[in-house]
Amino acid sequence: MRICIAGAGAIGCTLAARIAASGQPVNILARGATLQQLQHHGIRLNDLDGDHTVSVHASESAEALGPQDLILVCTKAPALGAVFAQIQPMLHPDTVVIPVVNGLPWWYFRGIESRFANDPIKAIDPDGELNRLVPQQHLIGCVVFITATRTAPGIVNAANPHLMIIGEITHQLTDRLERIRQLIEHAGIEARSTDNIRDQIWTKVIANLTSNPLSVISGATLEQLYSDPQLQPLVRRVLDETLLAAASHGARVRFDPQSIMEMGTGMGAIKTSMLQDFEAGAPLELATIGHAVVEVAEKTGIDMPTTRHILALAEFLSQQQRNA
């Protein structure tokens, strides 16, 4: 299988290193200092299985890499349009594209029967560009639970177990889904396939939305967000609003509210990825993690006032930072 990782950040390098270490050649679409590091020194990953130093074929040119059978797009949500445009030379009729991105996906209402069938999510894809660039037949959805930190270009630490859940956006269990699941599992990553990827997406959305935007405002760690008496009531209100939004679209979330709060506390003194992005001056994934959820909730008449206020404050701080 011809595999490309588009995006060589912490998650992209973790997936690339594990897949390459399993004996499967991996191409990486990268640029700048990261490209130079990958071309000359490969990837160095330290995870629960030890140290892995692997060679990969890295290029900044999709044309040079050529057609690919599987493309894992490991980028932040604001960059999806640019990356999807870049990967066009790598697509052939049977290419599978798996966006490894936080939040609700732009394709949420595509591929299944629904009263909102084929509706866009304007917070993410206002003019339908993402859908035009990567039509739904190429797509497999995923939810990734990998806690990884890039300490330098091509050098990543990942101290927790790796889990990747994948599913067709049509909710079918297909041969291609199973082949990809086996490939991921062979790479030493726990891999599960599901016949309802949207339920899994909502579970991750709940974790992200209850923690990420408020962490930007407060500077708090996950443990503080879910346990501090000043912050916990806000987190619980966002949690209740998001659970109601998920249920209004038929999603089944496995965990009860108290369990979600306890799991968040148990993550310890870890900064959210959005807080790390904010501190680095990078764009924030507020559209997919937050505004898209509010938009989808509105479709079923669900209001999310606390969530709206927190998103507005996070947007204000991000804009102030960009204007500084």
Side-chain angles (χ1 to χ4, degrees):
M1 186 179 290
R2 293 165 295 177
I3 299 174
C4 180
I5 309 291
I11 300 299
C13 282
T14 299
L15 292 174
R18 295 297 320 202
I19 294 170
S22 72
Q24 167 70 53
V26 176
N27 299 313
I28 295 190
L29 197 60
R31 62 185 180 182
T34 300
L35 175 63
Q36 297 299 314
Q37 165 71 21
L38 298 180
Q39 288 178 331
H40 293 97
H41 305 289
I43 298 172
R44 195 172 79 208
L45 169 68
N46 179 269
D47 65 7
L48 293 179
D49 290 333
D51 289 313
H52 314 270
T53 300
V54 299
S55 297
V56 293
H57 181 205
S59 175
E60 62 183 352
S61 168
E63 290 88 349
L65 293 176
Q68 303 292 305
D69 301 313
L70 172 63
I71 304 174
L72 294 161
V73 179
C74 302
T75 185
K76 296 291 185 179
L80 275 177
V83 174
F84 281 1
Q86 189 180 10
I87 68 173
Q88 293 303 298
M90 295 194 289
L91 297 178
H92 61 72
D94 295 321
T95 300
V96 173
V97 178
I98 302 182
V100 185
V101 181
N102 284 326
L104 284 182
W106 77 95
W107 49 258
Y108 187 86
F109 294 116
R110 298 184 181 275
I112 57 170
E113 291 185 7
S114 163
R115 57 186 285 218
F116 307 113
N118 296 320
D119 279 8
I121 299 182
K122 294 181 179 179
I124 310 170
D125 194 21
D127 58 3
E129 177 190 23
L130 299 180
N131 187 62
R132 288 194 299 271
L133 288 170
V134 182
Q136 69 181 52
Q137 65 266 23
H138 289 290
L139 292 168
I140 283 180
C142 86
V143 178
V144 171
F145 295 94
I146 293 176
T147 305
T149 303
R150 192 180 79 156
T151 57
I155 302 175
V156 177
N157 291 324
N160 292 316
H162 309 317
L163 168 63
M164 190 167 182
I165 303 171
I166 59 174
E168 296 279 2
I169 73 169
T170 58
H171 291 176
Q172 297 174 312
L173 294 173
T174 61
D175 290 341
R176 72 175 187 174
L177 183 69
E178 177 59 18
R179 285 196 300 272
I180 294 169
R181 189 202 66 78
Q182 290 179 7
L183 181 146
I184 296 166
E185 187 175 73
H186 185 62
I189 298 168
E190 183 182 354
R192 304 175 191 167
S193 56
T194 176
D195 61 359
N196 193 326
I197 190 63
R198 287 164 178 81
D199 285 356
Q200 303 297 329
I201 287 170
W202 274 108
T203 300
K204 183 74 179 290
V205 163
I206 288 165
N208 284 327
L209 186 50
T210 54
S211 60
N212 279 266
L214 186 55
S215 74
V216 171
I217 299 166
S218 64
T221 65
L222 286 170
E223 182 179 22
Q224 291 170 324
L225 287 166
Y226 289 97
S227 64
D228 184 271
Q230 306 301 316
L231 298 175
Q232 190 183 60
L234 281 173
V235 172
R236 181 57 194 262
R237 291 186 70 174
V238 174
L239 172 58
D240 290 344
E241 291 174 1
T242 311
L243 284 169
L244 187 57
S248 76
H249 285 278
R252 298 165 297 173
V253 177
R254 288 178 50 205
F255 304 103
D256 65 272
Q258 187 57 37
S259 295
I260 293 170
M261 299 294 290
E262 291 172 357
M263 285 188 288
T265 302
M267 293 296 291
I270 294 176
K271 292 182 178 181
T272 70
S273 59
M274 189 175 286
L275 177 56
Q276 293 180 55
D277 287 342
F278 179 72
E279 291 176 342
L284 305 184
E285 295 181 293
L286 290 168
T288 53
I289 286 174
H291 298 304
V293 178
V294 172
E295 179 183 333
V296 165
E298 287 177 341
K299 287 179 173 290
T300 53
I302 304 299
D303 192 18
M304 303 182 70
T306 302
T307 303
R308 286 178 185 272
H309 293 153
I310 290 173
L311 290 171
L313 288 169
E315 288 279 15
F316 173 78
L317 290 173
S318 181
Q319 186 168 350
Q320 290 290 104
Q321 184 186 66
R322 290 196 300 271
N323 295 337

